[in-house]
Amino acid sequence: MSFRDQPERLIPEPRADDRTGHGHRQVIGWLGALLPVFVVGLDRLRPTEGLLPNELSSISAYHYSSGVVAFAGILAALAVYLITYRGYENADGRKDRAASTVAGWAAVLVILFPTHPPGNEPDPTWWMDPIGTIHYVAAVTLFAAFIYFCLRLFPKSSSPRPEWDKDKRMRNAIYGTCGVGMAVTLGLAVMAGRRGAPIFWHETLALELFAFSWLVKGKADRTAARLLKRAGHYATHPAQAVTDLGKAMRDGSR
């Protein structure tokens, strides 16, 4: 049994006007979800001398730890997927592309212009206050774009509202919850940052909400259900699972 023998695609077929595909959206979602996990994991595996975990008060602070590999790598991959995102070929297509492009380049700036160094060690010789300002503005822009997707773009539909089915209404409720949740969480993060309090968990929650909204938009729940149906076969044929997932990602991205 192989992927091509299955009646259903692992990644659901996109609409005719979808220029990107659900696989592309799922990758964006997973990158966002895994970012805080990987930066913390790498730092715990390879602690940075002179930098205690409690001094890493934000995800961006991990730029100065061994977690920088995951921080820069995942954000760079996320930037590529956002910049190459094409959305839908409809009246809102330009908004899709504009918002994702802005978000992608904002992610690049977050990498290139790090936050203020944590801890009590002397600042690097290259550090200047404008670097931190650019980082802050880029991070706010990045999350503002994510919120815009959730509240304005994801809820759009080619069908009029009275014709929306239960699934569409449920997904729109999720997008709204994620968008409002990100806005509230980031507002709390700004207030905490002004007091000098840690904002790591605020940023992590905002990232997970962002990731969840993109996974829902990419119909990752249907992919998970189809993978579960084939779990028995894949358990005895792991190489087939890799082959099928690779083909599914190619078919799910345009």
Side-chain angles (χ1 to χ4, degrees):
M1 180 174 64
S2 67
F3 176 82
R4 63 177 56 90
D5 298 323
Q6 297 293 327
E8 293 180 314
R9 295 162 50 122
L10 283 178
I11 296 179
E13 183 110 23
R15 286 174 8 194
D17 63 347
D18 188 348
R19 298 184 59 192
T20 299
H22 295 310
H24 196 113
R25 297 182 182 90
Q26 289 187 28
V27 171
I28 290 175
W30 284 117
L31 288 171
L34 294 175
L35 176 58
V37 177
F38 273 73
V39 295
V40 173
L42 278 176
D43 178 67
R44 298 299 184 270
L45 286 173
R46 302 182 301 180
T48 303
E49 185 177 355
L51 191 59
L52 300 176
N54 63 353
E55 293 176 316
L56 298 168
S57 59
S58 68
I59 293 177
S60 295
Y62 281 85
H63 174 94
Y64 298 94
S65 75
S66 58
V68 65
V69 177
F71 178 78
I74 293 177
L75 271 180
L78 184 60
V80 170
Y81 273 88
L82 286 168
I83 291 170
T84 57
Y85 182 75
R86 290 294 173 263
Y88 295 89
E89 191 62 55
N90 56 26
D92 294 301
R94 289 185 178 180
K95 296 177 184 178
D96 283 328
R97 294 186 287 277
S100 59
T101 300
V102 167
W105 284 110
V108 171
L109 291 177
V110 167
I111 300 169
L112 296 179
F113 296 87
T115 189
H116 189 280
N120 297 317
E121 296 296 320
D123 293 345
T125 56
W126 49 263
W127 172 260
M128 297 181 294
D129 287 341
I131 293 176
T133 301
I134 294 172
H135 177 89
Y136 178 79
V137 172
V140 170
T141 301
L142 179 63
F143 278 107
F146 294 158
I147 293 170
Y148 179 68
F149 266 108
C150 281
L151 298 183
R152 298 293 299 171
L153 296 178
F154 284 172
K156 298 285 186 178
S157 175
S158 57
S159 303
R161 185 184 294 268
E163 296 180 11
W164 291 356
D165 58 16
K166 182 179 179 180
D167 180 70
K168 173 61 177 173
R169 294 179 186 277
M170 176 62 72
R171 290 177 185 274
N172 278 8
I174 292 173
Y175 303 144
T177 301
C178 289
V180 172
M182 276 190 282
V184 171
T185 302
L186 292 173
L188 293 174
V190 170
M191 290 189 289
R194 288 177 176 173
R195 298 194 310 270
I199 62 170
F200 175 84
W201 289 110
H202 299 81
E203 292 178 322
T204 296
L205 178 57
L207 272 173
E208 297 306 319
L209 289 170
F210 147 71
F212 189 59
S213 67
W214 279 82
L215 289 171
V216 170
K217 186 64 176 178
K219 301 187 177 179
D221 55 322
R222 299 184 188 180
T223 297
R226 293 170 189 183
L227 280 171
L228 188 61
K229 286 171 62 177
R230 307 180 198 185
H233 175 74
Y234 287 153
T236 55
H237 301 81
Q240 185 70 61
V242 174
T243 300
D244 288 359
L245 281 171
K247 185 178 187 302
M249 288 306 301
R250 291 192 298 272
D251 290 345
S253 299
R254 294 184 176 182

